[in-house]
Amino acid sequence: MKGALIGCGFFAQNQMHGWAGIPGVDIVAVCDRDPTRRNDTAARFGARPYADAADMLAAESPDFVDIATTVASHRPLVELAAAAGVHVICQKPFAETMPDARAMVAAVDAAGRTLMVHENFRWQSAVRAAIEAVRGGAVGRPFFGRVSFRSGYDVFSGQPYLATDPRFIIQDLGIHILDVARALFGDVATLAASTRRINPAIRGEDVATMLLEHDSGVTSVVDCSYATRRLPETFPETLLEIDGDKGTLRLDAGYRLVIQAGGEQIRDVAPPVLPWAERPWHNIQESVRIIQAHFVDCLRRGTQPETSGHDNLRTLALVEAAYRSAADRTRIDMRAPE
Ligand code: NAD
Ligand code: 89Y
């Protein structure tokens, strides 16, 4: 299977390493407007460099394209890929607005191709162990959940746009945590959010607290912070507290999964540090390879990825609702037409 990557920046390096570990996949070409970035990445991974995505797709005719640029370029690039008739993976946040997101999904549908959003946190091995336990009935019927990401890690040095974009933590990180809440408890009926900016050196919000009522009857608290200074620093761990009618599940700091339901089961669900990975990013880095393998598996089987474009519209709607709720101090009915 031939792939091509667009955007050779900070995170794309993980994606290239991930692809290199998947049998039967070859990233034949990479593209970036920045000559140093495209040439370095091409040389590092043995691909052909291009300055322009349209030129690359025309010359290479790949089976799929992996879009690793920041959000502003996602719509034109997804539409370009759809017009070229190739399957698409697009990084999160998928789109800047819901109309853009719907148009992107429609474009790939019209081309008859597969679209997956690179929504990888639900594929982190520790989070996945919890999802599988809950789906398998380990705590009975869940009624409460807390999905929590609190850190003081400096994400701005690697990703400077996070300090200057008008929106920060919900659009960048909360989007993953909301998606994990969906993976655990299903779709959302109502959402209420409150946001704060603690770090005066950035433009957007760095703290968000969200209350969700799920269609399944679960009430969840989804909380995120990049203003939390504590030791040990838990970046980039998502911590979980789930109460069900038969027991409880906790995913504690240090990748410790504790399930109490009759007896007690304690598991070390720490992710491996892949040969190319480095702490503390290894957790995210492993999930990149896992979601890529899922995409390839879906293409081979002709099935839809878990975080297809259609699926991700529902995660993106939660992000939009959270900003609206925080601005208006209202609770948003997710089932009401916009
Ligand atoms: P970055 O700015 O470091 O890299 C983006 C690259 O895309 C730049 O080199 C830029 O020149 C290039 N680019 C932009 N538009 C282009 C175009 N039209 N054609 C060719 N090249 C173009 O950004 P980053 O930090 O690597 O983030 C990229 C995306 O990855 C973001 O959407 C971010 O949210 C996401 N991300 C995801 C995770 C995750 O765990 N899923 C983690 C970090 C970042
Ligand atoms: O961009 C973000 C993401 O998707 O995961 C962590 C991150 O790199 C910083 O918040």
Side-chain angles (χ1 to χ4, degrees):
M1 204 174 284
K2 274 200 313 182
L5 175 108
I6 307 176
C8 300
F10 170 76
F11 202 71
Q13 307 309 310
N14 297 319
Q15 292 171 225
M16 290 299 286
H17 278 294
W19 288 124
I22 298 183
V25 175
D26 188 13
I27 303 297
V28 295
V30 299
C31 163
D32 201 297
R33 291 172 175 153
D34 180 305
T36 309
R37 286 184 164 196
R38 68 171 174 266
N39 290 328
D40 286 357
T41 304
R44 191 172 304 126
F45 294 97
R48 286 177 285 280
Y50 288 83
D52 181 76
D55 291 346
M56 176 174 77
L57 295 185
E60 300 284 349
S61 302
D63 298 303
F64 72 90
V65 68
D66 189 9
I67 299 173
T69 62
T70 45
V71 66
S73 53
H74 287 176
R75 180 170 177 178
L77 290 172
V78 167
E79 289 178 341
L80 178 75
V86 301
H87 302 294
V88 185
I89 307 176
C90 181
Q91 258 298 349
K92 50 56 66 175
F94 181 49
E96 289 183 305
T97 67
M98 289 306 294
D100 279 353
R102 289 192 200 99
M104 293 151 76
V105 169
V108 184
D109 276 354
R113 292 295 179 264
T114 297
L115 168 62
M116 182 180 84
V117 179
H118 187 122
E119 183 43 82
N120 49 326
F121 273 38
R122 64 161 74 193
W123 289 103
Q124 290 172 6
S125 45
V127 171
R128 200 71 194 179
I131 290 171
E132 277 165 15
V134 169
R135 288 183 184 170
V139 297
R141 200 176 163 81
F143 60 86
F144 171 82
R146 177 174 175 210
V147 188
S148 178
F149 185 106
R150 310 192 77 77
S151 168
Y153 188 84
D154 170 25
V155 286
F156 309 109
S157 53
Q159 298 170 262
Y161 55 89
L162 296 179
T164 52
D165 283 355
R167 290 177 165 189
F168 172 34
I169 202 167
I170 300 175
Q171 174 166 282
D172 170 63
L173 187 280
I175 196 167
H176 291 303
I177 311 307
L178 288 164
D179 187 69
V180 169
R182 283 191 57 235
L184 283 163
F185 310 124
D187 278 322
V188 176
T190 71
L191 180 150
S194 152
T195 59
R196 294 279 306 276
R197 180 177 60 227
I198 302 301
N199 179 349
I202 66 170
R203 190 165 167 210
E205 81 293 348
D206 53 2
V207 178
T209 310
M210 296 168 266
L211 177 68
L212 280 60
E213 291 175 318
H214 296 258
D215 292 335
S216 59
V218 175
T219 302
S220 72
V221 176
V222 173
D223 60 287
C224 310
S225 165
Y226 270 127
T228 300
R229 286 164 218 302
R230 66 164 176 189
L231 292 174
E233 168 57 67
T234 53
F235 179 86
E237 290 180 54
T238 302
L239 307 185
L240 300 172
E241 295 175 26
I242 300 168
D243 294 353
D245 61 3
K246 302 250 179 328
T248 61
L249 177 152
R250 298 289 183 268
L251 179 57
D252 291 329
Y255 303 105
R256 186 170 175 269
L257 182 66
V258 182
I259 298 172
Q260 295 178 345
E264 182 178 66
Q265 190 196 347
I266 302 178
R267 283 169 60 195
D268 176 2
V269 288
V273 186
L274 295 173
W276 50 271
E278 57 179 353
R279 293 178 188 275
W281 287 87
H282 62 297
N283 170 33
I284 292 183
Q285 288 165 318
E286 189 213 12
S287 70
V288 168
R289 193 181 68 176
I290 296 172
I291 196 173
Q292 290 171 334
H294 172 63
F295 178 74
V296 169
D297 192 46
C298 288
L299 289 189
R300 290 190 174 133
R301 290 170 190 265
T303 54
Q304 280 299 304
E306 249 189 58
T307 57
S308 66
H310 281 281
D311 175 84
N312 198 254
L313 292 177
R314 294 198 280 272
T315 296
L316 212 52
L318 296 179
V319 169
E320 289 304 320
Y323 283 111
R324 199 149 36 99
S325 167
D328 302 349
R329 295 175 178 264
T330 52
R331 178 181 291 210
I332 310 290
D333 183 348
M334 298 305 302
R335 291 167 297 197
E338 277 175 27

